[in-house]
Amino acid sequence: MANDDGPWGPSWWGGTDMAAPSEESNGAGGLHSRLPDDTVPLRVSTARDPAPAATSEPEPEPKGGGSRLAKSSALMAAGTIVSRITGFLRTLVMAAAIGVGTLNDSYQVANVLPTMIYVLVGGGALNAVFVPQLVRAMKNDEDGGESYANRLLTLVVIVLAGATTLCVLAAPLLVRVMSPDIAADPQRMALTVAFARYCLPTMFFMGIHVILGQILNARGRFGAMMWTPVLNNVVIIASFAAFIWAFGGFTDSGVSPATITPEGVRLLGLGTLLGLAVQALAMLPYLRDAGVRLRPRFDFRGHGLGRAAGLAKWTLLFVLANQLGLIVVTELATKAGAAAERAGHPGSGFTTYQFAYQIWQMPQAIITVSVMTAVLPRISRAALDGDAAAVRDDISYGLRTSAVAVVPCAFAFLALGMPMATLLYASSGTEGAQGIGRALMGFGLGLIPYSAQYVVLRGFYAYEDTRTPFYNTLVVAAVNAAASAACFVLLPAHWAVAGMAASYGLGFAVGIAVAWRRLRKRLDGDLDGPRVLRTYVRLCTAAAPAALAGGAASTALLHALGTGALASLVALLVGAALLLGLFLALARLLKLPELDALFAMLRSRLGR
């Protein structure tokens, strides 16, 4: 669960930027009062760079360590790719074991509860506030910030242990808040509460994983936080595979909230809990290797934690606004899914939303997060030095570099979402797979503003400004909730979740417009806007006709061949080949320097 659980799931947590431990853990630094050589902060010119001419040569990286940034980004991207692949396998095994209908909705509601509560009690603050604080402590403290890190770890353990105990006891109330529709059905209510009591303790291990990862990242050890979630996925895959071995696959067993056994619930619940525990404890060998000595420290006063807590209050409000939006969408999605299933359209509820989201956010997790995780420490230092031009250049670099992958992927989800889903989730039944496909198409183009806002908000965090992201999230959450409610009322039940997926992207489209204006004002009116806009416009110009051609071809093949796994594979391969080929041809004609730089880098790698 901890790293791939939907819009608000820890790795996930891409939602409204309260990201997952493995996505938004940022930092760099060094022991004692200096940075290690492999994490020297990258500096950029204080003069605005002109838009480069079209060339096949890579765009010059900021001075002082571009290759080191590339290595850090590559390591994190590799870990994220493996994590996402195993995350996909996990959802496939889940769907094969318990389908994507109301039974899985109960599991997903229980599974998202610990994430929601974790970010409320401090997870968002750990990601957004304590990265700059750790960097500051390593720069200013005689012990390189080790005492500060131990105090923070001790505080996290105490707070999360208490919160976890209370939440397990309050599980029925929490489920009732998350989904009144589930609470109205005694059988589903009992099942969801049982799942929740296994899932809620994962929030403790979630927090331990995050804080240990932050400590490692602050010492230039980026890999552990990206790779350990793979262990979580492996454990959960094994648990659901064991369920299939013991009780049969969903298409044969037709397991439902009425027929699942207590032993089956226990197997899936314990597997979920064990996965997070393994993920967190796997960080300990990395800490020993980095020379970090962990020990309890209860002398909290007078060591900077109070200042960080003051900053964190806005992050708490930020998260609260986000979670209110989550509750609205969860209630609407579970209710729509139950209504659709009664009407003969199973697989149109909250699980559909979650599974589609996991596919959709993969480019963000692999590209945007990896780039910005390595860039954030130097942005923080530039902000600390008052170097607004350096912050601007790095934000521009992050937006343009990530857009090269994000924009075509967004159009690909819109055009090819249906064959992707009917291929990947064929084991859950045709109706369920098509429901995921509709949701994936709904998410589609929202990937562009979703990724852009992630980058832009890093600028505020670098200045330790958590108030502005809070206000921005109010806008995003309000738009998302209002549009989702409209979709629930206006669309047929089996289309409602697809509309909610589109509403999610709409919220970020409004949010990025607000965030952009505020950050531009913060950076003296200069955010390299014309250069960034030119990149996005050219990418969309190349991607739109390519998506139209690829989507038309795949749709025609699905109509001709059906929606089975083999037919979906053919439709997806043909559509993807046409989309990619046409996009690359048009992008070359439009002379995109960022794409040229990408190809030049690949050629240099392959030529070695």
Side-chain angles (χ1 to χ4, degrees), residues 176-258:
R176 195 175 301 276
V177 171
M178 288 295 290
S179 179
D181 186 71
I182 288 178
D185 183 335
Q187 198 167 56
R188 293 179 67 198
M189 178 65 173
L191 173 65
T192 308
V193 170
F195 275 135
R197 285 186 164 141
Y198 287 110
C199 292
L200 281 166
T202 63
M203 63 185 285
F204 176 81
F205 295 105
M206 206 180 297
I208 298 303
H209 180 258
V210 170
I211 188 59
L212 296 182
Q214 297 285 27
I215 293 169
L216 283 169
N217 285 358
R219 284 154 177 77
R221 306 295 183 95
F222 296 102
M225 205 161 192
M226 295 298 179
W227 284 92
T228 49
V230 174
L231 299 175
N232 172 49
N233 287 331
V234 169
V235 171
I236 295 179
I237 288 170
S239 300
F240 278 83
F243 184 94
I244 294 173
W245 178 81
F247 302 102
F250 177 75
T251 54
D252 295 325
S253 68
V255 65
S256 69

Side-chain angles (χ1 to χ4, degrees), residues 8 14-17 322 325 329 353 360 442-443 445-454 457 469-484 487 498-517:
W8 305 273
T16 337
D17 214 71
N322 189 36
V329 172
Y353 190 93
W360 172 76
F443 275 118
L445 296 183
L447 184 65
I448 299 172
Y450 172 71
S451 175
Q453 176 159 297
Y454 179 94
L457 290 190
F470 161 65
Y471 290 129
N472 199 73
T473 297
L474 285 179
V475 175
V476 174
V479 173
N480 182 24
S484 294
C487 291
M500 294 176 200
S503 300
Y504 190 66
L506 176 63
F508 281 99
V510 176
I512 184 60
V514 175
W516 182 272
R517 288 196 297 271

Side-chain angles (χ1 to χ4, degrees), residues 61-133:
E61 292 177 307
K63 297 178 182 179
S67 62
R68 299 184 183 98
L69 172 62
K71 289 178 182 178
S72 295
S73 296
L75 176 62
M76 290 181 289
T80 303
I81 289 170
V82 175
S83 177
R84 297 303 164 177
I85 290 173
T86 54
F88 276 137
L89 293 176
R90 187 186 68 185
T91 62
L92 295 178
V93 177
M94 282 183 181
I98 60 175
V100 293
T102 53
L103 173 57
N104 208 331
D105 279 1
S106 289
Y107 175 81
Q108 295 297 330
V109 168
N111 203 20
V112 82
L113 269 173
T115 298
M116 182 186 76
I117 298 166
Y118 163 71
V119 294
L120 278 174
V121 299
L126 286 177
N127 287 308
V129 176
F130 286 103
V131 170
Q133 294 299 315

Side-chain angles (χ1 to χ4, degrees), residues 159 258 289 300 335 404:
V159 171
D289 184 61
F300 302 130
K335 191 170 184 177
V404 173

Side-chain angles (χ1 to χ4, degrees), residues 602-608:
L602 291 175
R603 283 196 299 269
S604 67
R605 296 292 184 188
L606 294 175
R608 289 180 178 177

Side-chain angles (χ1 to χ4, degrees), residues 280-479:
L281 296 176
M283 302 292 283
L284 297 177
Y286 291 97
L287 288 161
R288 285 197 300 269
D289 184 61
V292 178
R293 297 170 296 174
L294 298 179
R295 58 192 62 186
R297 293 290 298 261
F298 298 94
D299 52 333
F300 302 130
R301 291 184 178 276
H303 296 285
L305 291 175
R307 179 176 182 273
L311 293 170
K313 69 181 180 182
W314 290 105
T315 302
L316 176 61
L317 293 172
F318 176 112
V319 172
L320 180 60
N322 189 36
Q323 300 314 308
L324 290 175
L326 162 61
I327 292 172
V328 171
V329 172
T330 304
E331 289 184 2
L332 295 175
T334 53
K335 191 170 184 177
E341 189 160 311
R342 289 192 296 268
H345 299 285
S348 301
F350 189 53
T351 299
T352 295
Y353 190 93
Q354 293 281 82
F355 284 8
Y357 176 87
Q358 288 184 321
I359 301 172
W360 172 76
Q361 53 77 59
M362 192 171 186
Q364 152 84 0
I366 293 174
I367 305 297
T368 310
V369 171
S370 295
V371 169
M372 294 310 298
T373 297
V375 168
L376 181 60
R378 79 182 188 202
I379 296 179
S380 297
R381 294 185 183 89
L384 189 63
D385 295 339
D387 191 349
V391 174
R392 176 211 66 202
D393 287 349
D394 278 334
I395 294 293
S396 172
Y397 171 79
L399 286 167
R400 291 179 290 107
T401 302
S402 60
V404 173
V406 165
V407 171
C409 285
F411 280 90
F413 289 135
L414 177 64
L416 305 175
M418 188 60 70
M420 285 182 194
T422 53
L423 172 62
L424 290 171
Y425 295 98
S427 62
S428 66
T430 301
E431 284 281 353
Q434 289 179 337
I436 295 172
R438 289 191 292 268
L440 185 54
M441 294 173 70
F443 275 118
L445 296 183
L447 184 65
I448 299 172
Y450 172 71
S451 175
Q453 176 159 297
Y454 179 94
V455 175
V456 169
L457 290 190
R458 263 66 233 146
F460 296 110
Y461 294 146
Y463 285 101
E464 299 183 351
D465 176 3
T466 52
R467 182 188 308 187
T468 301
F470 161 65
Y471 290 129
N472 199 73
T473 297
L474 285 179
V475 175
V476 174
V479 173

